[in-house]
Amino acid sequence: MSSDRRPLLFVLFGSALLVTLVIHLSFVPRYFPEEVFMTGLALVAGWVTYALVFYAAGRLRSNPQELPSMRTADIGIALFLVSLLLGAALDAFGFTPEAILEAYVVPALGIYVGLALLGWSIGRRTEAINAIVRR
């Protein structure tokens, strides 16, 4: 990556991290559990910025010599979706977050690990494509 673009990735990394923390520490607790729609909207916004953090980290920390496989992104998407479905199943079976919040720890970890894998993989792939184009 050219030296003039790397600071922009640091700005993206820092701002996405800051927005992620603000959303998860300020907005989600404010709306949970009374307003389901606003809680879901805040979570989705937080998930997008969280994936952007790992996208920027993947671009900053990787130096691939060839085009990397997207298998990591596939695993991330699968982990995200399975964890989301597990959380929905817990709610459908009557284990609501208001009653048993601890039951949602495993699905939440799966969601965040899946998003991290997806963002990292796309960032590495983008960096590799940019390196190929520069050659």
Side-chain angles (χ1 to χ4, degrees):
M1 169 169 256
S2 64
S3 61
D4 58 313
R5 290 176 123 188
R6 192 156 296 274
L8 293 176
L9 285 174
F10 280 113
V11 170
L12 174 65
F13 178 78
S15 60
L17 182 62
L18 180 67
V19 169
T20 300
L21 290 173
V22 166
I23 288 172
H24 280 85
L25 298 176
S26 177
F27 291 113
V28 173
R30 182 182 308 163
Y31 297 123
F32 180 77
E34 292 85 23
E35 297 183 40
V36 176
F37 178 74
M38 288 303 291
T39 302
L41 194 59
L43 276 175
V44 169
W47 291 343
V48 169
T49 58
Y50 181 80
L52 272 176
V53 167
F54 282 91
Y55 168 80
R59 296 264 327 253
L60 288 169
R61 301 285 297 163
S62 68
N63 192 9
Q65 300 301 322
E66 60 185 36
L67 205 58
S69 168
M70 291 299 285
R71 184 173 295 139
T72 307
D74 294 340
I75 293 169
I77 291 170
L79 188 58
F80 173 78
L81 291 175
V82 166
S83 298
L84 203 59
L85 287 174
L86 180 60
L90 284 171
D91 190 51
F93 288 127
F95 300 107
T96 61
E98 296 87 6
I100 306 173
L101 189 61
E102 296 81 16
Y104 287 84
V105 169
V106 172
L109 287 174
I111 286 171
Y112 285 100
V113 169
L115 288 171
L117 290 173
L118 177 64
W120 176 267
S121 181
I122 292 173
R124 285 189 63 221
R125 182 79 165 207
T126 304
E127 189 63 30
I129 290 171
N130 287 342
I132 290 170
V133 168
R134 280 193 304 268
R135 289 185 203 157

